[in-house]
Amino acid sequence: MSTSSSNAKPMRTVDVTSFVSFIKETDVFDLLVDLVVFRGQPVQGNLLPNVARNAPDVDTTDIERKILEQLKLQGASMLSGHVSTDLDVLVLAQHFGLKTRLLDWTSNPLVALWFACSAPVKGDVYVYALEADKLLATDVYEQDPFSRAATKVIQPRQNNPRIIAQQGWFTLHRYATKNKKFVALEKNPATAACLHEYRIPAGKRSELLTALDRHGISAKTIYPDLAGLCEHLNWKYNC
């Protein structure tokens, strides 16, 4: 996969004016591709995994390997028997705050919209759609996650309640030795051509969260535990 950013075309940005308009925009993908994944976030672009977001030109591979080894040693009693490969461990740890080279996506556009609109920031927020047919990797679990030749979309095992609830997918990113950096998806021609951007104006966020709750998407469904329910109740009753 080429990682030169010189030929990357700018994405077309669609403003989301209502819940219905968002549904109509994302329903179009059914006619175009077999697989599309979505991501909601409070900032525009910078589609990089957490480990690379602040300093994408730093090759973190060696330190990531050390962290993973320590996680397996120190967290052995907390890792279930279903977590059998390095990628399994990374996927689980991602949901508990470990900085990894995984970037979260979902196959449900409404889940992505909730993540965008519920972000604890002011201003406009964004949802991205990534057409994944040509980017999907199916052989990832028995391979070294730190030595991928290209950034790929991966489907995680459904062995985590949050992954199940959020209909989670990931992009597994690589450090590009030729470019000497992690390349953001919107700056990589091979992935930028597959991206679509939706801007949610600040003034529409509350309205959209109410509509999402009415259609069964809220903190209590995104996080299927007591913490998620409490977050939902705080929002519902404006506490």
Side-chain angles (χ1 to χ4, degrees):
M1 178 184 292
S2 170
T3 55
S4 170
S5 61
S6 59
N7 296 320
K9 295 180 180 180
M11 287 178 290
R12 181 176 69 96
T13 301
V14 176
D15 282 330
V16 175
T17 58
S18 68
F19 184 76
V20 172
S21 72
F22 183 76
I23 295 294
K24 288 181 177 179
E25 287 287 345
T26 54
D27 273 355
V28 170
F29 289 110
D30 289 339
L31 304 175
L32 303 175
V33 292
D34 289 329
L35 175 63
V36 58
V37 293
F38 301 87
R39 174 175 172 80
Q41 59 182 46
V43 298
Q44 185 176 27
N46 200 30
L47 291 168
L48 285 166
N50 209 330
V51 77
R53 208 163 289 159
N54 294 330
D57 57 339
V58 175
D59 186 354
T60 55
T61 303
D62 288 343
I63 189 65
E64 288 179 82
R65 290 185 187 278
K66 291 178 182 177
I67 290 172
L68 179 62
E69 184 62 27
Q70 285 300 307
L71 180 64
K72 291 190 291 184
L73 290 171
Q74 297 185 42
S77 66
M78 295 174 278
L79 298 174
S80 74
H82 299 296
V83 182
S84 57
T85 70
D86 285 350
L87 185 56
D88 283 311
V89 177
L90 288 179
V91 167
L92 180 62
Q94 169 92 349
H95 281 287
F96 286 94
L98 189 73
K99 292 183 178 181
T100 76
R101 58 181 57 201
L102 295 168
L103 185 63
D104 292 276
W105 297 79
T106 173
S107 58
N108 187 334
L110 299 186
V111 170
L113 184 62
W114 183 87
F115 273 109
C117 291
S118 64
V121 299
K122 295 181 179 179
D124 299 347
V125 291
Y126 296 84
V127 170
Y128 290 91
L130 179 64
E131 297 178 28
D133 286 358
K134 296 180 181 179
L135 302 171
L136 181 62
T138 58
D139 58 346
V140 291
Y141 273 95
E142 302 309 320
Q143 296 186 7
D144 180 1
F146 303 111
S147 60
R148 298 292 306 182
T151 295
K152 291 288 186 179
V153 173
I154 66 167
Q155 182 177 20
R157 300 189 216 268
Q158 301 293 297
N159 57 7
N160 179 316
R162 287 191 176 186
I163 287 178
I164 296 169
Q166 297 169 16
Q167 299 175 51
W169 288 69
F170 294 95
T171 40
L172 175 58
H173 294 243
R174 61 111 177 213
Y175 179 84
T177 54
K178 180 179 178 181
N179 295 74
K180 297 183 178 179
K181 63 180 178 180
F182 288 90
V183 180
L185 296 180
E186 74 275 13
K187 295 182 179 179
N188 183 336
T191 50
C194 304
L195 276 170
H196 305 262
E197 180 179 83
Y198 304 92
R199 178 171 53 222
I200 295 90
K204 293 290 183 180
R205 290 172 59 182
S206 179
E207 169 190 324
L208 289 169
L209 284 172
T210 299
L212 285 166
D213 182 44
R214 188 165 56 248
H215 288 81
I217 304 294
S218 67
K220 72 177 180 180
T221 60
I222 296 291
Y223 303 114
D225 50 30
L226 189 58
L229 175 58
C230 290
E231 180 178 342
H232 172 70
L233 292 174
N234 284 339
W235 169 81
K236 187 79 172 180
Y237 295 100
N238 196 27
C239 293

